[in-house]
Short mmCIF file of all heavy atoms in Angstrom, two decimals:
data_model
loop_
_atom_site.label_atom_id
_atom_site.label_comp_id
_atom_site.label_asym_id
_atom_site.label_seq_id
_atom_site.Cartn_x
_atom_site.Cartn_y
_atom_site.Cartn_z
N ARG H 1 0.84 -1.20 0.00
CA ARG H 1 0.00 0.00 0.00
C ARG H 1 0.87 1.24 0.00
O ARG H 1 1.82 1.36 0.77
CB ARG H 1 -0.91 -0.01 1.22
CG ARG H 1 -1.96 -1.10 1.21
CD ARG H 1 -2.72 -1.18 2.50
NE ARG H 1 -3.36 0.08 2.84
CZ ARG H 1 -3.96 0.33 3.99
NH1 ARG H 1 -3.96 -0.61 4.94
NH2 ARG H 1 -4.53 1.48 4.22
N ILE H 2 0.53 2.17 -0.88
CA ILE H 2 1.41 3.33 -1.10
C ILE H 2 1.61 4.15 0.17
O ILE H 2 2.71 4.60 0.46
CB ILE H 2 0.88 4.21 -2.26
CG1 ILE H 2 1.90 5.31 -2.57
CG2 ILE H 2 -0.48 4.81 -1.93
CD1 ILE H 2 1.65 6.02 -3.87
N GLU H 3 0.54 4.33 0.97
CA GLU H 3 0.70 5.14 2.17
C GLU H 3 1.60 4.45 3.18
O GLU H 3 2.28 5.12 3.99
CB GLU H 3 -0.66 5.45 2.80
CG GLU H 3 -1.44 4.25 3.32
CD GLU H 3 -2.34 3.63 2.25
OE1 GLU H 3 -2.10 3.90 1.05
OE2 GLU H 3 -3.27 2.88 2.63
N VAL H 4 1.67 3.11 3.13
CA VAL H 4 2.52 2.37 4.07
C VAL H 4 3.98 2.43 3.64
O VAL H 4 4.87 2.73 4.44
CB VAL H 4 2.04 0.91 4.19
CG1 VAL H 4 2.95 0.14 5.14
CG2 VAL H 4 0.61 0.86 4.69
N PHE H 5 4.26 2.16 2.35
CA PHE H 5 5.67 2.18 1.95
C PHE H 5 6.21 3.60 1.92
O PHE H 5 7.41 3.82 2.15
CB PHE H 5 5.94 1.40 0.66
CG PHE H 5 5.46 1.99 -0.63
CD1 PHE H 5 6.00 3.16 -1.15
CD2 PHE H 5 4.51 1.32 -1.39
CE1 PHE H 5 5.58 3.67 -2.35
CE2 PHE H 5 4.08 1.82 -2.60
CZ PHE H 5 4.62 3.00 -3.09
N LYS H 6 5.37 4.60 1.67
CA LYS H 6 5.87 5.98 1.74
C LYS H 6 6.20 6.37 3.18
O LYS H 6 7.17 7.10 3.42
CB LYS H 6 4.84 6.93 1.15
CG LYS H 6 4.79 6.92 -0.37
CD LYS H 6 3.82 7.95 -0.92
CE LYS H 6 4.23 9.36 -0.57
NZ LYS H 6 3.31 10.36 -1.15
N ARG H 7 5.43 5.88 4.13
CA ARG H 7 5.73 6.15 5.53
C ARG H 7 7.06 5.50 5.91
O ARG H 7 7.89 6.10 6.62
CB ARG H 7 4.59 5.65 6.41
CG ARG H 7 4.71 6.05 7.86
CD ARG H 7 3.36 5.95 8.57
NE ARG H 7 2.80 4.60 8.50
CZ ARG H 7 1.64 4.30 7.89
NH1 ARG H 7 0.93 5.24 7.30
NH2 ARG H 7 1.19 3.06 7.88
N PHE H 8 7.27 4.27 5.45
CA PHE H 8 8.54 3.60 5.71
C PHE H 8 9.70 4.36 5.07
O PHE H 8 10.74 4.59 5.71
CB PHE H 8 8.52 2.17 5.17
CG PHE H 8 9.87 1.53 5.10
CD1 PHE H 8 10.48 1.02 6.24
CD2 PHE H 8 10.57 1.47 3.90
CE1 PHE H 8 11.75 0.47 6.18
CE2 PHE H 8 11.83 0.91 3.82
CZ PHE H 8 12.43 0.40 4.96
N LEU H 9 9.54 4.76 3.82
CA LEU H 9 10.61 5.48 3.13
C LEU H 9 10.92 6.82 3.80
O LEU H 9 12.08 7.22 3.92
CB LEU H 9 10.24 5.70 1.67
CG LEU H 9 10.32 4.46 0.77
CD1 LEU H 9 9.66 4.73 -0.58
CD2 LEU H 9 11.78 4.04 0.57
N ALA H 10 9.88 7.50 4.25
CA ALA H 10 10.10 8.77 4.95
C ALA H 10 10.97 8.56 6.19
O ALA H 10 11.88 9.36 6.47
CB ALA H 10 8.76 9.40 5.33
N ARG H 11 10.71 7.48 6.91
CA ARG H 11 11.50 7.17 8.09
C ARG H 11 12.94 6.81 7.70
O ARG H 11 13.91 7.24 8.34
CB ARG H 11 10.86 6.01 8.86
CG ARG H 11 11.65 5.54 10.07
CD ARG H 11 11.90 6.64 11.07
NE ARG H 11 12.67 6.19 12.22
CZ ARG H 11 13.47 6.97 12.92
NH1 ARG H 11 13.61 8.25 12.61
NH2 ARG H 11 14.13 6.48 13.96
N LEU H 12 13.07 6.04 6.63
CA LEU H 12 14.39 5.64 6.16
C LEU H 12 15.24 6.86 5.80
O LEU H 12 16.40 6.98 6.21
CB LEU H 12 14.24 4.72 4.95
CG LEU H 12 15.49 4.00 4.43
CD1 LEU H 12 15.99 2.99 5.45
CD2 LEU H 12 15.18 3.31 3.11
N PHE H 13 14.66 7.79 5.05
CA PHE H 13 15.42 8.97 4.65
C PHE H 13 15.68 9.91 5.83
O PHE H 13 16.69 10.62 5.86
CB PHE H 13 14.69 9.70 3.53
CG PHE H 13 14.75 8.96 2.22
CD1 PHE H 13 13.60 8.48 1.62
CD2 PHE H 13 15.96 8.72 1.60
CE1 PHE H 13 13.65 7.79 0.42
CE2 PHE H 13 16.03 8.03 0.40
CZ PHE H 13 14.87 7.56 -0.20
N GLU H 14 14.78 9.91 6.78
CA GLU H 14 15.01 10.71 7.99
C GLU H 14 16.25 10.21 8.72
O GLU H 14 17.08 11.00 9.18
CB GLU H 14 13.79 10.63 8.91
CG GLU H 14 13.95 11.41 10.19
CD GLU H 14 12.75 11.23 11.14
OE1 GLU H 14 11.94 10.30 10.91
OE2 GLU H 14 12.64 12.02 12.08
N ILE H 15 16.39 8.89 8.82
CA ILE H 15 17.54 8.31 9.49
C ILE H 15 18.83 8.66 8.75
O ILE H 15 19.86 8.97 9.36
CB ILE H 15 17.38 6.78 9.60
CG1 ILE H 15 16.25 6.43 10.58
CG2 ILE H 15 18.70 6.13 10.04
CD1 ILE H 15 15.90 4.96 10.61
N MET H 16 18.80 8.65 7.42
CA MET H 16 20.01 8.88 6.63
C MET H 16 20.46 10.34 6.66
O MET H 16 21.62 10.63 6.37
CB MET H 16 19.78 8.42 5.19
CG MET H 16 19.77 6.91 5.05
SD MET H 16 19.75 6.39 3.32
CE MET H 16 18.06 6.80 2.88
N GLY H 17 19.55 11.24 6.96
CA GLY H 17 19.95 12.64 7.04
C GLY H 17 20.01 13.33 5.69
O GLY H 17 19.47 12.84 4.70
N PRO H 18 20.71 14.47 5.61
CA PRO H 18 20.66 15.30 4.41
C PRO H 18 21.36 14.71 3.19
O PRO H 18 21.10 15.15 2.07
CB PRO H 18 21.35 16.60 4.85
CG PRO H 18 22.23 16.20 5.99
CD PRO H 18 21.48 15.11 6.70
N SER H 19 22.25 13.74 3.39
CA SER H 19 22.97 13.16 2.26
C SER H 19 22.99 11.64 2.36
O SER H 19 23.83 11.07 3.06
CB SER H 19 24.41 13.69 2.19
OG SER H 19 25.12 13.04 1.16
N PRO H 20 22.08 10.95 1.66
CA PRO H 20 22.08 9.48 1.69
C PRO H 20 23.40 8.87 1.23
O PRO H 20 23.83 7.85 1.78
CB PRO H 20 20.94 9.12 0.73
CG PRO H 20 20.03 10.30 0.77
CD PRO H 20 20.93 11.48 0.91
N SER H 21 24.05 9.48 0.25
CA SER H 21 25.30 8.91 -0.25
C SER H 21 26.40 9.00 0.82
O SER H 21 27.18 8.05 1.00
CB SER H 21 25.74 9.61 -1.53
OG SER H 21 26.00 10.98 -1.30
N GLU H 22 26.46 10.10 1.53
CA GLU H 22 27.47 10.23 2.59
C GLU H 22 27.15 9.30 3.75
O GLU H 22 28.07 8.77 4.39
CB GLU H 22 27.54 11.68 3.05
CG GLU H 22 28.12 12.62 2.01
CD GLU H 22 28.18 14.06 2.49
OE1 GLU H 22 27.86 14.31 3.68
OE2 GLU H 22 28.54 14.94 1.69
N PHE H 23 25.87 9.11 4.03
CA PHE H 23 25.48 8.16 5.08
C PHE H 23 26.00 6.77 4.73
O PHE H 23 26.52 6.04 5.59
CB PHE H 23 23.96 8.15 5.21
CG PHE H 23 23.43 7.14 6.18
CD1 PHE H 23 23.34 7.41 7.53
CD2 PHE H 23 23.01 5.89 5.73
CE1 PHE H 23 22.85 6.46 8.43
CE2 PHE H 23 22.52 4.93 6.62
CZ PHE H 23 22.45 5.22 7.97
N ILE H 24 25.86 6.38 3.47
CA ILE H 24 26.31 5.06 3.04
C ILE H 24 27.83 4.97 3.14
O ILE H 24 28.38 3.96 3.60
CB ILE H 24 25.83 4.77 1.61
CG1 ILE H 24 24.32 4.54 1.62
CG2 ILE H 24 26.55 3.57 1.01
CD1 ILE H 24 23.70 4.44 0.24
N VAL H 25 28.54 6.00 2.72
CA VAL H 25 30.01 5.99 2.78
C VAL H 25 30.49 5.82 4.22
O VAL H 25 31.45 5.09 4.48
CB VAL H 25 30.58 7.29 2.17
CG1 VAL H 25 32.08 7.42 2.48
CG2 VAL H 25 30.35 7.30 0.66
N ARG H 26 29.82 6.48 5.16
CA ARG H 26 30.23 6.35 6.57
C ARG H 26 30.09 4.92 7.06
O ARG H 26 30.89 4.46 7.88
CB ARG H 26 29.41 7.30 7.45
CG ARG H 26 29.76 8.77 7.25
CD ARG H 26 29.20 9.63 8.36
NE ARG H 26 27.75 9.60 8.41
CZ ARG H 26 26.95 10.44 7.76
NH1 ARG H 26 27.48 11.38 6.97
NH2 ARG H 26 25.64 10.36 7.85
#
């Protein structure tokens, strides 16, 4: 369900902060 996976993704990106690529590098 779109509202469910968007809620999950919002949380995921919140954890990663302003730069997902830098989060991954760390």
